[in-house]
Amino acid sequence: MINVTKTFLPPQNDYQALLKKAWETGWMTNRGVLVQELEQKLKEHLQVPNVIAMTNGTLPLQIAIKALGLKGEIITTPFSYVATTSSIVWEGCTPVFVDIHPEYLTIDETKIEAAITPETSAILATHVFGNPCDVEAIEMIAKKHQLKVIYDAAHCFGVTYKGQSIFTYGDVSTCSFHATKLFHTGEGGALVCQPEYYNTMYDHHNFGHDGPEAFHGLGINAKMSEPQAAMGLAVLPYMSHICARRKFVVERYSNGLGSEDIQLLKLRDGVEWNYCYYPVIFKNEAVLMKVKTALEKEAIFARRYFYPSLDTLPYVDHSEPCQLSHKISACVLCLPLYVDLDRQDVDRIIKIINANIC
Ligand SMILES: *Cc1c(COP(=O)(O)O)cnc(C)c1O
């Protein structure tokens, strides 16, 4: 069976050697030595001013919204994972969807200003499949209208834009270290922010504690645990190997799928990408279903990601549907992509797709 992804597992001995440190300290959580070491290493690896390790990639979104004091409407993208929208609603704000760019698949920055109202407090956009939003345009709009900017950068581990970590753009960026993501800690995630926000973000992820007996304010528990950090420390040394292997698969797909009937991801100029996903956009949903069924007959499970378009969720307003996002989410399939995916299997997938697209 070939799944859309397969978690990279480091040598078990590496993991156990790291866990031994947790046994020695007797600490399983509360920001022990392993979490601190992981944060330090990630700061260096990603070249960012700060990293707060968290227990998943959803809580950093919620904490960013809460800690920035956002209220009212938040402009967002309908083409993302459900956590982008659910975090907004969970924090008592209203998502206002702006349609996406047909090739980059990120929020269409030219349509943002028309969606701004006196109630708008922020823009929360996703760097889709590691492809950055137009961060410069978004920054200008945000400055002009005094809006905060949060980037859901769940896919962006290691991505740089114009030579700089993509996590350094916007007020806050979040990442996911879920087992299906490029870099992982089983479950896990992180928040990176402009230095002025660090203390408030940190406090919010640790119950608002100000020492053991006092509180700065409201907080929640989003702390990463020591076993999670051990997994991260064990995986981190393999990142260049992981990306090199994925690059090989990606290039083989791209060479084999050069057909006019298929739209491939167009990366923005200036991006150093991380080979995190291989989305393929078919002419229509019928072709997608035909390809998906043909792959499944061979026990190959591609995934409809992102589907459905988030402006169709049962708990959001449906009055202004985002047509492009509807069309693309109905036609997009992410192909299997992981470190030890065989060359023969990649060729087999290419052959099945090419035989089913017309
Ligand atoms: C995976 C993902 C998340 C959520 O991360 P978790 O670690 O699973 O909580 C949020 N946004 C996007 C775009 C994702 O792909």
Side-chain angles (χ1 to χ4, degrees), residues 250-357:
V250 162
E251 285 175 353
R252 205 162 178 93
Y253 274 138
S254 294
N255 288 333
L257 293 171
S259 151
E260 281 169 17
D261 294 318
I262 294 181
Q263 181 189 338
L264 302 178
L265 180 63
K266 182 177 173 185
L267 292 170
R268 207 175 281 282
D269 280 344
V271 63
E272 281 272 355
W273 194 46
N274 61 1
Y275 307 94
C276 54
Y277 293 91
Y278 200 88
V280 174
I281 301 164
F282 298 101
K283 261 192 312 204
N284 55 51
E285 193 169 9
V287 176
L288 173 139
M289 290 313 294
K290 196 171 151 206
V291 169
K292 187 168 177 279
T293 309
L295 289 169
E296 282 169 7
K297 263 198 210 131
E298 305 259 337
I300 299 165
F301 299 95
R303 174 146 186 230
R304 299 188 73 178
Y305 195 62
F306 304 110
Y307 178 83
S309 183
L310 299 173
D311 59 330
T312 66
L313 286 170
Y315 48 82
V316 303
D317 174 35
H318 298 160
S319 59
E320 286 182 61
C322 297
Q323 303 297 353
L324 275 168
S325 177
H326 287 203
K327 179 163 183 289
I328 286 166
S329 55
C331 301
V332 65
L333 204 55
C334 279
L335 302 185
L337 175 55
Y338 49 87
V339 167
D340 55 358
L341 183 60
D342 275 354
R343 174 198 309 232
Q344 289 86 344
D345 287 330
V346 176
D347 292 346
R348 203 151 57 89
I349 293 166
I350 292 169
K351 225 167 134 188
I352 296 169
I353 294 173
N354 284 336
N356 283 281
I357 48 178

Side-chain angles (χ1 to χ4, degrees), residues 56-59 61 80-81 83-84 126 152 154-155 176-178 181 187-188 277 305-306:
N56 60 48
T58 302
L59 278 163
L61 287 168
S80 183
Y81 184 59
T84 316
T126 301
D152 182 339
H155 301 169
S176 168
F177 304 156
H178 186 261
K181 300 294 197 311
E187 290 273 1
Y277 293 91
Y305 195 62
F306 304 110

